Amino acid sequence: MLRGSITIGQYLPIESSIHRLDPRTKIIAVLAYVIVLFLISAYTGYLVMAGLTAIIAVLGKIPLRMLARGLRPILFIIVLTVMLNAVMTPGELLYRIGPLSITEEGLLQAGFMASRLLLLIMTTSMLTLTTAPIDLTDGIEYLLGPFKRIGVPAHELAMMMTIALRFIPTLLDEAERIMKAQMARGADFETGSFIQRAKNMIPLLVPLFISAFRRADDLALAMEARCYRGGEGRSRFKVLHMEKLDAAAALTLALGFSAALMV
Amino acid sequence: MSQRSMRLQHLLHIALFAALTVALSFVRVPLPISPVPVTGQTLATMLAGLMLGGRGGALSQLIYVLIGAVGLPVFGGLGGPSALMGPTGGYLIGMIVGAAVIGWMVDGRSNVVMMVVSCIVGGMLVVYIPGVLWLSRLMVMDLNSAVVIGVLPYLVGDGLKVVLAVMLAFRLRPIQSTLRMDRH
């Protein structure tokens, strides 16, 4: 696996107006989208929501095959849901295949469920396609901010997430290095019985864990030496800004959502 | 060391443990008897509970899940918020609760029997229950078939992971004393 590409995850690093939106706007928009999707009770509502999704995809310059790739893992579930709903719902008979009867109500219900799932997955994956993990982490920290009062450690969570993201490639490199070093000493990671292979993981994992905790200790010392004292009064290198674009997006979505709920 | 720097050190141990969980989730050992490969994810869950305690262990697993939610392909090659809603979503919640259960059951003692029992309860049972419930709800199947596809293929591998986790926890005991917050 490519070390460099792993920490950007699904992010598609291109320029677009959706990419430029504030991560907070995008997180709230997706949450609202999901809620509206579950409140809709008419077909026309789904059409409006599909229209919104299409607009976002076009504005975000997301290639169709990327969206399709996001759907692959749940395709089976969608097909299953459609078939079960088509067969199990009682109502006016349309076709009969052996003991199975497909009803009109069943087909409608199946279409409902499938469009809901499809839109849900496509739109949520657009969030990670157009926003880098580190920006999403920033957005989460801001959005959790108000919950600090009830004991949600917003800053600490985001700090730990950022550091974990930063150290994932380092630890993967480290694991590879340890593996090579142990192989040079005659360790065998590739063959042997299943139990043998599990046991062979120990000379890899013990040094990996120790080195990870050593890094954590060094980092703690370095942060302490630079007077890190938590999120209180901290200034940021990268400050999130809401712009006109965010207002425009919020307005468009609010109109779209109300249209979807009313039709 | 001051109270505050102990706390910072503990937070960074949790962060690095989340990164270790990601690294372990890329380790796959194919099983001869089933199509589902054994991955290191729940091994990390067990170790998190054993080494960081209940709170720290659960936090490290929560951060792992959040890292997946922001798009890193850490759930068996998948990532993003949609992966949380996919068939394996229940197991991910189970990992967070499981690490907490292990930490609270073991509570810093290094009693082998207790460690093994806590790993079986927290690392297997507590992970399977929400996993199977979510699976059966999502795929609209009865609980029996959900158990057949969602638990049985993993039993052997997870059993081995319990042994491996306890062995590793013992090997790593020399650094353990700095890892648990509530010991101070």
Side-chain angles (χ1 to χ4, degrees):
Chain A
M1 192 164 305
L2 289 170
R3 297 285 184 271
S5 67
I6 191 161
T7 36
I8 66 164
Q10 303 172 316
Y11 180 56
L12 197 63
I14 50 170
E15 265 290 311
S16 88
S17 42
I18 303 295
H19 283 69
R20 268 206 313 279
L21 284 176
D22 191 295
R24 288 170 290 180
T25 314
K26 285 188 268 192
I27 295 173
I28 294 176
V30 166
L31 286 178
Y33 188 99
V34 172
I35 293 170
V36 172
L37 208 54
F38 279 93
L39 290 177
I40 287 176
S41 51
Y43 250 113
T44 38
Y46 283 119
L47 279 178
V48 177
M49 296 302 265
L52 285 175
T53 303
I55 293 172
I56 302 170
V58 170
L59 284 178
K61 296 182 190 154
I62 302 167
L64 209 59
R65 94 195 131 74
M66 290 292 255
L67 278 181
R69 194 195 294 170
L71 286 175
R72 215 168 34 192
I74 58 129
L75 204 61
F76 174 69
I77 296 171
I78 293 181
V79 173
L80 198 80
T81 316
V82 167
M83 290 198 310
L84 279 174
N85 274 295
V87 174
M88 308 273 259
T89 318
E92 204 169 316
L93 199 66
L94 284 183
Y95 311 101
R96 182 179 280 282
I97 315 160
L100 304 173
S101 45
I102 295 173
T103 60
E104 199 179 326
E105 283 80 359
L107 276 185
L108 275 174
Q109 179 74 14
F112 245 77
M113 297 291 284
S115 1
R116 182 181 282 175
L117 268 173
L118 275 171
L119 290 175
L120 188 72
I121 301 297
M122 279 205 281
T123 313
T124 49
S125 58
M126 279 200 277
L127 177 68
T128 42
L129 281 168
T130 62
T131 325
I134 209 80
D135 293 332
L136 279 175
T137 306
D138 270 354
I140 292 173
E141 176 174 0
Y142 271 104
L143 290 175
L144 286 180
F147 299 103
K148 267 184 209 157
R149 247 172 256 159
I150 55 163
V152 177
H155 166 75
E156 283 77 7
L157 264 182
M159 186 265 283
M160 289 190 280
M161 262 178 88
T162 312
I163 288 172
L165 282 170
R166 156 69 183 76
F167 278 99
I168 288 165
T170 315
L171 289 185
L172 289 177
D173 278 343
E174 189 101 322
E176 206 176 294
R177 220 174 12 245
I178 296 169
M179 228 165 153
K180 282 183 183 151
Q182 301 289 35
M183 275 154 78
R185 296 182 180 110
D188 182 6
F189 296 110
E190 315 267 274
T191 55
S193 72
F194 183 66
I195 295 172
Q196 194 56 46
R197 283 166 76 157
K199 257 175 82 179
N200 289 348
M201 296 302 285
I202 292 179
L204 167 66
L205 292 178
V206 170
L208 186 66
F209 272 69
I210 290 182
S211 103
F213 289 122
R214 195 171 290 155
R215 277 176 200 283
D217 290 344
D218 288 348
L219 193 59
L221 200 65
M223 285 169 78
E224 189 76 3
R226 287 161 182 77
C227 301
Y228 171 84
R229 51 190 172 87
E232 225 38 63
R234 175 194 168 207
S235 59
R236 300 175 150 271
F237 180 60
K238 206 160 96 189
V239 184
L240 293 182
H241 281 300
M242 291 278 188
E243 285 167 29
K244 281 194 190 123
L245 196 62
D246 295 282
L251 198 68
T252 316
L253 283 174
L255 284 174
F257 289 159
S258 7
L261 284 173
M262 277 187 289
V263 291
Chain B
M1 241 189 291
S2 71
Q3 195 62 40
R4 193 205 288 146
S5 64
M6 294 294 329
R7 213 178 98 76
L8 175 62
Q9 201 183 22
H10 185 62
L11 291 182
L12 294 179
H13 285 148
I14 295 168
L16 265 288
F17 210 103
L20 279 171
T21 308
V22 172
L24 274 176
S25 74
F26 293 126
V27 176
R28 284 159 165 264
V29 179
L31 265 182
I33 50 161
S34 101
V36 192
V38 173
T39 67
Q41 275 156 290
T42 49
L43 175 66
T45 305
M46 296 173 196
L47 278 167
L50 290 177
M51 295 178 68
L52 296 173
R55 226 181 104 88
L59 256 177
S60 74
Q61 301 302 294
L62 170 69
I63 290 168
Y64 162 73
V65 171
L66 284 175
I67 283 175
V70 298
L72 264 74
V74 299
F75 308 137
L78 303 177
S82 44
L84 295 181
M85 295 178 271
T88 57
Y91 297 102
L92 298 171
I93 304 302
M95 287 172 68
I96 301 173
V97 184
V101 169
I102 293 172
W104 284 319
M105 280 179 73
V106 172
D107 195 28
R109 285 166 292 168
S110 47
N111 173 337
V112 182
V113 179
M114 195 60 203
M115 282 161 93
V116 170
V117 170
S118 74
C119 279
I120 291 171
V121 174
M124 296 175 69
L125 216 62
V126 177
V127 178
Y128 294 151
I129 291 170
V132 163
L133 288 178
W134 179 245
L135 196 67
S136 76
R137 214 199 85 91
L138 194 72
M139 314 271 268
V140 211
M141 59 166 91
D142 59 298
L143 278 177
N144 282 338
S145 23
V147 168
V148 168
I149 70 160
V151 171
L152 290 186
Y154 301 101
L155 274 179
V156 178
D158 282 350
L160 262 171
K161 276 186 253 177
V162 170
V163 178
L164 200 58
V166 174
M167 278 165 85
L168 278 166
F170 263 91
R171 293 281 186 97
L172 291 167
R173 234 178 1 175
I175 59 163
Q176 177 111 41
S177 57
T178 62
L179 293 184
R180 287 174 52 91
M181 189 60 193
D182 43 291
R183 294 278 100 190
H184 307 291

